[in-house]
Amino acid sequence: MHTILDPISASQLDAYLDQTEAALEQQDDADLDPELIQAGLKASMDGQRFRADTLASAGRLFRLWLRAGDPAAALRVIEGDGRDALAALPAAERPDWDLTLAFWRLEPLFALDDAAALRATLDAAFALLTSLPGALQYDKAWGHLDEQATRAGAHALSRRCAAARNALQHADPERAAYRAWDDALMAVRQAQSFALEGQETQAGEAAARATASLATAGPEQDIDVDDWLRIGHALFQIAPEAIDGVVRQVRALTPASTVFFARRDIDVRVARLEALTLHRQGARDQALARLVLGRSVIRGDDDDRYAAIMLDWLLEAGRHDDAARLAFESVFHERQVSAEHGTHAALRAVSEGLAGQLYWQLALAYAGMADDTMEVRGDESEAAYVHRHLALARAQAHAHPAIDAVEALFLIKSAGDYHQALPLLETAARDLSLAQSDVLFKLWVARIRVHGAQAALAMPFVPASSAGSCYNLGVNLGYNLKEQLPEGVTVPKDEIKALAARYYEIGLARFEAFVMSGEGNARDGHAHTYSMLCNNLAIYYRHDKSDAAAALPLHHKGIAASPFSEHYQGVLNCHRNSGDDAAMIDGAEQLWHYSADHGYSRHDPADYIDDVAAALHRLGRGTDIAIWLQRLDEWWASLEQDERAEYEKPYVRAVTSVLYHLAHSQPDDAMLRLDAMLPRVRTAATPYTSRMAAHALRTAGRFERAQAMYAEALRQVKPDDAWHETQRKAIVEGVAECKRLQRAAKPWWKVW
């Protein structure tokens, strides 16, 4: 006799869903076999009965059944519990949820491969979406329905979705400036849909409508280079003959004033589009030639996918030696996408015995020791796998710098054997293509470990393979060297900083040469890396060489290439160091506004606003000081409580200093604020802050109170501390000035 279980519902169902979803997340994080996870979930759910009494819980339950691999059960939840919950809603809420249920039905129907039911549901969703009031005809809903129709092969319906979405966009007054773009995008979707149906003529006509929409756009339409490139990438497979026109439009829309990385960035993107088009047209050699520039990594890239495309094209062309070298390069430099792609290509090439076995074997050897590709080893140990492929590579060429590079890195990784690795690294580093940042960093570490710091730093300089490697190496030398050395081994800081700066300088030259010529390493075109390099080198010039004049143009170059807040901070610091008050104030304005608009986690207005106030006072612009005091308070109000504890003393110091400068032009306002601040000044108990409070009181004519505050400041001076002694001197001078002003303020007849 079977016991009929009461269904789990309401709060019990919510608890069950919470626990089950949390358990699945833990299993995913533990990298358990997905099939085992699914089987366990299915067994657990099969032993229960559920009743979802809200649409939210119905949605969670149906997705859980999908995860368990039971789309039929998921569909039953929608048709049963989902429909019941829908019927219980107020009439005004039902249309929107009715559409949601239709969208939910699509996923289990795809899994069940029920073509008739799927098409009926798509048609019903189209009818529902069309019937909704305008406010509910969501743009994203039309896009989603278009995607699902395409997925189901319902291409005519997808074109109707694209047209309906376009009509909705035309009805939106806020999109008035984007009508030409919206029309072009609709035509692209239609072209893609016709192409999937095999209707080439109609596809070509739709593609022509897409480009014509942009080409004939009026001056009120917002059309730019990015729009043309997006359309080009969407159409090159459908209408490759249209791409020449797209490129002409890109060139025409590129302002003559576009300079530096922005222009080269466009060149790279155009080269990619032209390469893809040429390959589509069967001109493989020409496509490969354009991809030499096109594979350059630029700011908009998250990965190295164009190197993976080039690898495939080289293999198609039978250029196996070139393909092997590119696969090794991608794996050896551990590049996202192309490293994994190169690893799989190497596996196939080895099994097929293709030419270039030296580099195919080395690609596999390095893949076996790199974090992102180590799965290539399977169940074989790392040491056995790497040694096996190194031996196969040595069989191809006993002495080869690429073999030395991989072997040296493995000796260090597996055994920390810098002595045996050093001669291999020295040999490898002479081949510029192998001199990536990791090789050179470990070379310098090995030199120091084997020869000692002074002797190592006197050894020949070794250039890096790319501008990006120069930057990475400079960072590693500047910030990560100490942790790679044995305890007790020290290196002269100034010489290491100079070595890092030398790599930055070479990287700077490499980046700028690429921008000027379009030729160089594939890693020489990344504008943001260039900008970070400019920042680090500027810091070195300003901080270590006391050369603000050399640092300032680097910050401006970085801002032109890829701005971020540290550059604006650097510009301010350069002008502050050089004593240019007006320029420093302008720099502070730019820093304040850029940080407000773009964020700056290390933004510390307490570090510079008091200097801005001083500069405004010196320039006779005292009325502007109140603006900066308000900004200082805005920053303080934005801080969390733990941050306020950290910044309390700097904030009190900055406010007190600003009030001193404000007291010259607005003494009453300054005193009103200072009276409220004095308890925090006394708590801070630092001679500088107390001295500035005394200066403010003195400037406002509160001489007796100023004398008392100067006395407090003197008590806070620590003996035998050089900085405190400078404060003592300034306090004593302040006392004398206070007494002089107090005497001068007395009427001539008042002798007491």
Side-chain angles (χ1 to χ4, degrees), residues 11 84 436 668:
S11 60
D84 290 345
Q436 43 104 304
D668 292 339

Side-chain angles (χ1 to χ4, degrees), residues 570-582:
V571 168
L572 183 154
N573 290 338
C574 286
H575 291 311
R576 178 162 55 182
N577 291 357
S578 63
D580 188 336
D581 285 343

Side-chain angles (χ1 to χ4, degrees), residues 421-431 443 447 451 459 462:
L422 180 56
L424 299 174
L425 290 169
E426 296 282 8
T427 301
R430 288 195 287 269
D431 183 332
L443 171 63
R447 283 177 168 182
H451 300 295
M459 296 178 77
V462 186

Side-chain angles (χ1 to χ4, degrees), residues 245-264:
V246 170
V247 171
R248 284 195 298 273
Q249 291 287 348
V250 169
R251 296 302 187 196
L253 283 172
T254 303
S257 59
T258 304
V259 294
F260 216 50
F261 273 95
R263 180 173 292 277
R264 190 58 67 196

Side-chain angles (χ1 to χ4, degrees), residues 478-548:
Y479 299 99
N480 301 324
L481 181 61
K482 183 178 180 180
E483 64 190 46
Q484 300 298 320
L485 299 176
E487 189 174 350
V489 174
T490 59
V491 293
K493 290 184 179 179
D494 290 345
E495 291 185 42
I496 283 295
K497 287 183 178 180
L499 179 62
R502 187 173 179 185
Y503 280 108
Y504 290 148
E505 288 165 343
I506 291 175
L508 184 79
R510 295 264 191 87
F511 273 123
E512 294 181 356
F514 174 84
V515 170
M516 293 300 295
S517 68
E519 297 178 359
N521 189 282
R523 313 303 285 184
D524 291 350
H526 197 270
H528 193 62
T529 304
Y530 171 82
S531 185
M532 293 190 293
L533 184 152
C534 286
N535 186 57
N536 286 15
L537 187 56
I539 291 171
Y540 173 74
Y541 287 156
R542 189 183 71 246
H543 185 269
D544 295 281
K545 306 296 285 185
S546 299
D547 191 351

Side-chain angles (χ1 to χ4, degrees), residues 93 97 148 167 190 198 241 275 288 311 373 388 414 465 496 505 547 574 608 618 623 662 715 733 738 749:
E93 298 180 24
W97 272 105
Q148 298 306 307
Q190 292 171 337
E241 69 282 353
L288 282 165
L311 175 56
T373 51
R388 178 165 62 83
S414 61
S465 60
I496 283 295
E505 288 165 343
D547 191 351
C574 286
Y608 66 89
R618 287 192 292 268
T623 54
L662 185 66
R715 288 194 294 273
E733 291 172 353
C738 185
W749 48 267

